[in-house]
Amino acid sequence: MGLGVLDSKLAQVPGKYPLRPRGHLKKIYIDDLAGTSFVYDDDSRPAPDRELNSRLKYDRSGPVPTILVPQPSDDPNDPLNWPLWQRDVIITVLCVTSVIASTLSPLLAANTVTLSLQFNRDFAQMALLTGYHLAGVGVAGFLFIASARVWGKRHLYLLGTVLIIVSSAWGGASGTNYKSLLWARVIQGVGLAPFEALVNASVGDLYFVHERGKRMAFSNLALFGGAFFTPVLVGKITHSIGWPWTFYLIAIFCGAMLPFVIFLCPETAYRRDAVFNTDITGERNLSTSMQRTTQPQQHSNHSPSNSIPTSFDHENKTHATTRAKVPYLHTLLPFNGRKTSESFFKLLLRPLPLFAHPAVLWATLIQGTLIGWTVMIGVVLAAIFLGPPLWFNEVETGYMYAGPFIGAVLGFILSGLLADWSAKWMTRRNKGVYEPEFRILLVIPQLVLGCAGLYGFGITADNVTKYGWFWPDFFFALEVMGMVLGAVASALYIVDAHREIAVEAFTCLLIFKNLFSFGLTWQAYPWLVAAGITKIFYVIASVQVGICLLSVPMCKHFLNRELFQRRCPAHITAYASRKKPDAVRS
């Protein structure tokens, strides 16, 4: 490959798939590194190599047809076959609900002093209301994602919405009972977990590779943007009608979204024949299967499940088996069958070893650490500005989050523009070959903006008498912009390069960022008191610089997809080669 990315000699590695055909039906000579895609025709190729393959499905909406990756099956119940408007409606409903759910984590950021006085607790104990909430998100997400792999995501979205409604009403009615409010916050974390853990994975379920960029940015905006606007409203609500209404309003709005989740969000997980998942298995299995369709039919002992996918067999359509579309009422059920034959407990433990996977470890650090620093800033912000010399009240402290909210919006606009544009630009420079590593380019603005924000916040927040409130807020906004860019970069890379382990990878991200943030809420105040604001933020900003620089070796083969080659499952190899599964070497 060009541009310093992955000169692979392997036959098949996760992350490589074609978006543009380079040959005829019987001669598809595409490097089989899952994730790599041929997007643009190259005039230097021989004319026959630029012909479209009649047995593949394309998106013909643009001037140049693009191979659909993954390839949709012929089943009308396959989410990839649903109209684009329906898929966009599903993601919109999930994202709007995620906006409401994401308000839970920073719900107490602006009224820390008010609650501290009402509950007669110190700042550290009030910060733990957020810390234990984040721990609830991390633990619940660990359980829920395994459940999503086995039974799908719909039942978890329904459960999460109901839990948010109940726990928010409970929190508002806690009065001055600290333990009651603490447990309500923990249950709120459990309700938030499905949306924080699974919405990005639903984007992977519903969209082809070339459609994911802007939708992934939109889903991350929903998860993070709402979180930063929450304190702006919470401060005013607390001052006007009391802090319990910050909980009651979440219950009301989430209750309003429940019918939309029930009636407009069917199950997005689909058990598709593995050969169609060309972003996982690569093109070789697909092309081999296509070649077999041109050979005379012979007697064999294979079961019907091992037959050639009729999606690509236009010459033998009479033999195609079609499935009826599931009635709408059946889509309202919380479950519609298992999505895998693997054990729940096996899937539950599977994410843990992935912390040693370079791509997953890189993604958890790129996304999780900057989220942790953001939570830390939110926890200490009240202590910095509620005291002398500014003496902010809860309303003014809430308004301090206007800067981070603007930073989040600008970060998502920037990431949405750069995610697809940079990939296309790099692809053109790489002679039409797309590599998932092109998504890592988004770490460059993350390094500049995020680290500048951390250094700047540490300097200005330590001397608000000199710098006032504006400059700490400005650098907080820059830090949030960097956080957003890192979140989008890591999510896109995981989905594009390792979709076969994307759910487990997002589990690792969820566990790390929430437990890391929980640890920071536990120690934030003691650290600041002992070492001072400037010194602490110098250290964490320098750590973040080092983490961003890990992106350089991520583009090289020794730390990337080639090192962690995953063999094709035996039944897929057997299917492609027309051998019995037990005869295939695993």
Side-chain angles (χ1 to χ4, degrees):
M1 303 303 163
L3 300 179
V5 176
L6 216 52
D7 287 327
S8 175
K9 298 179 181 179
L10 295 178
Q12 156 115 24
V13 181
K16 184 167 194 165
Y17 39 79
L19 291 186
R20 177 74 50 223
R22 295 186 65 180
H24 287 303
L25 173 65
K26 297 184 180 180
K27 188 179 182 182
I28 299 182
Y29 43 93
I30 299 179
D31 296 334
D32 226 355
L33 184 64
T36 303
S37 311
F38 292 91
V39 182
Y40 299 103
D41 282 324
D42 185 351
D43 292 337
S44 65
R45 298 178 191 148
D49 292 344
R50 298 197 303 272
E51 294 179 8
L52 300 182
N53 194 311
S54 62
R55 302 196 179 192
L56 294 177
K57 296 181 180 180
Y58 295 79
D59 178 0
R60 301 176 185 270
S61 60
V64 179
T66 300
I67 296 177
L68 298 177
V69 178
Q71 284 280 296
S73 67
D74 286 338
D75 185 356
N77 302 301
D78 186 342
L80 294 176
N81 287 324
W82 296 346
L84 183 61
W85 67 264
Q86 182 182 2
R87 291 180 280 152
D88 284 342
V89 166
I90 294 169
I91 287 299
T92 300
V93 171
L94 293 178
C95 286
V96 172
T97 311
S98 296
V99 169
I100 300 170
S102 67
T103 63
L104 297 173
S105 296
L107 191 61
L108 307 181
N111 53 13
T112 302
V113 171
T114 301
L115 292 176
S116 179
L117 295 174
Q118 185 160 349
F119 285 87
N120 194 26
R121 304 277 177 159
D122 59 29
F123 275 0
Q125 290 176 303
M126 299 314 298
L128 287 178
L129 291 173
T130 299
Y132 281 112
H133 163 83
L134 295 174
V137 177
V139 174
F142 176 63
L143 298 172
F144 287 169
I145 290 180
S147 179
R149 287 298 299 265
V150 178
W151 296 290
K153 303 177 181 67
R154 174 173 166 80
H155 70 285
L156 295 171
Y157 290 137
L158 294 172
L159 176 64
T161 306
V162 171
L163 286 179
I164 291 173
I165 296 169
V166 173
S167 60
S168 297
W170 173 9
S174 295
T176 57
N177 189 328
Y178 179 83
K179 289 185 178 179
S180 177
L181 181 59
L182 178 63
W183 279 107
R185 291 289 287 161
V186 172
I187 302 302
Q188 281 185 324
V190 176
L192 168 60
F195 297 96
E196 187 168 314
L198 299 174
V199 173
N200 282 339
S202 290
V203 173
D205 293 340
L206 291 169
Y207 297 99
F208 304 104
V209 168
H210 68 285
E211 297 174 330
R212 290 175 187 163
K214 293 181 177 62
R215 273 99 178 175
M216 191 70 76
F218 179 54
S219 65
N220 278 278
L221 174 61
L223 288 169
F224 295 115
F228 291 108
F229 193 65
T230 300
V232 178
L233 300 176
V234 166
K236 185 64 177 176
I237 292 170
T238 300
H239 187 75
S240 301
I241 57 178
W243 70 266
W245 275 98
T246 62
F247 286 81
Y248 291 144
L249 288 173
I250 290 176
I252 292 170
F253 286 120
C254 208
M257 288 304 301
L258 181 60
F260 293 95
V261 177
I262 293 173
F263 295 109
L264 296 179
C265 293
E267 181 59 62
T268 63
Y270 178 77
R271 197 168 184 176
R272 190 179 298 107
D273 192 315
V275 76
F276 293 110
N277 292 321
T278 50
D279 53 343
I280 296 175
T281 64
E283 178 70 10
R284 179 159 301 176
N285 296 309
L286 178 59
S287 61
T288 303
S289 298
M290 290 164 53
Q291 293 178 42
R292 297 293 177 184
T293 64
T294 66
Q295 299 177 0
Q297 296 293 322
Q298 300 178 359
H299 293 87
S300 69
N301 296 324
H302 293 104
S303 64
S305 62
N306 287 334
S307 60
I308 298 299
T310 57
S311 240
F312 306 102
D313 191 0
H314 296 307
E315 295 178 2
N316 298 300
K317 279 193 174 181
T318 58
H319 301 287
T321 57
T322 58
R323 297 178 60 182
K325 188 171 180 61
V326 173
Y328 172 71
L329 290 179
H330 288 191
T331 67
L332 301 181
L333 297 174
F335 302 94
N336 66 355
R338 290 179 66 96
K339 306 305 175 184
T340 178
S341 58
E342 294 186 86
S343 163
F344 170 81
F345 295 102
K346 179 181 178 181
L347 292 171
L348 181 67
L349 299 176
R350 177 177 290 177
L352 299 181
L354 287 181
F355 279 109
H357 191 300
V360 177
L361 179 61
W362 170 84
T364 57
L365 293 175
I366 284 291
Q367 181 178 131
T369 52
L370 211 47
I371 290 176
W373 310 140
T374 304
V375 171
M376 182 175 175
I377 292 175
V379 168
V380 303
L381 196 67
I384 294 172
F385 292 100
L386 286 170
L390 297 180
W391 298 105
F392 278 9
N393 59 25
E394 63 267 19
V395 177
E396 293 167 317
T397 304
Y399 288 160
M400 287 292 295
Y401 281 84
F405 173 72
I406 294 172
V409 173
L410 292 178
F412 282 109
I413 292 174
L414 184 60
S415 62
L417 294 174
L418 289 179
D420 291 331
W421 175 85
S422 61
K424 292 177 181 178
W425 178 73
M426 292 288 288
T427 300
R428 290 190 183 98
R429 292 197 60 195
N430 205 30
K431 299 180 181 179
V433 180
Y434 166 76
E435 298 280 0
E437 283 73 23
F438 296 163
R439 302 294 194 183
I440 298 177
L441 280 180
L442 291 177
V443 176
I444 297 174
Q446 180 198 27
L447 170 64
V448 175
L449 297 171
C451 296
L454 288 171
Y455 281 118
F457 183 85
I459 295 170
T460 57
D462 200 28
N463 192 352
V464 291
T465 303
K466 177 180 178 181
Y467 296 104
W469 63 267
F470 174 79
W471 287 111
D473 202 35
F474 172 79
F475 286 112
F476 192 8
L478 289 185
E479 188 270 346
V480 170
M481 286 183 69
M483 182 203 73
V484 167
L485 287 159
V488 174
S490 58
L492 281 173
Y493 179 75
I494 289 295
V495 169
D496 283 1
H498 297 284
R499 194 170 70 86
E500 79 284 3
I501 57 169
V503 173
E504 288 88 354
F506 285 126
T507 306
C508 294
L509 268 64
L510 180 77
I511 294 171
F512 177 81
K513 68 184 180 184
N514 283 288
L515 296 186
F516 180 63
S517 299
F518 170 65
L520 291 176
T521 61
W522 192 283
Q523 288 294 328
Y525 286 116
W527 283 349
L528 290 175
V529 171
I533 297 174
T534 299
K535 184 177 180 179
I536 289 294
F537 277 90
Y538 273 2
V539 171
I540 65 176
S542 300
V543 169
Q544 190 62 43
V545 170
I547 289 172
C548 289
L549 292 179
L550 292 176
S551 302
V552 176
M554 271 301 297
C555 293
K556 299 298 182 180
H557 71 277
F558 64 87
L559 273 181
N560 207 345
R561 292 176 283 149
E562 188 168 332
L563 176 63
F564 274 73
Q565 175 186 7
R566 294 170 65 93
R567 293 178 182 272
C568 237
H571 71 278
I572 300 175
T573 309
Y575 168 72
S577 61
R578 290 306 217 185
K579 297 178 182 178
K580 294 182 180 180
D582 55 6
V584 178
R585 187 180 302 170
S586 60

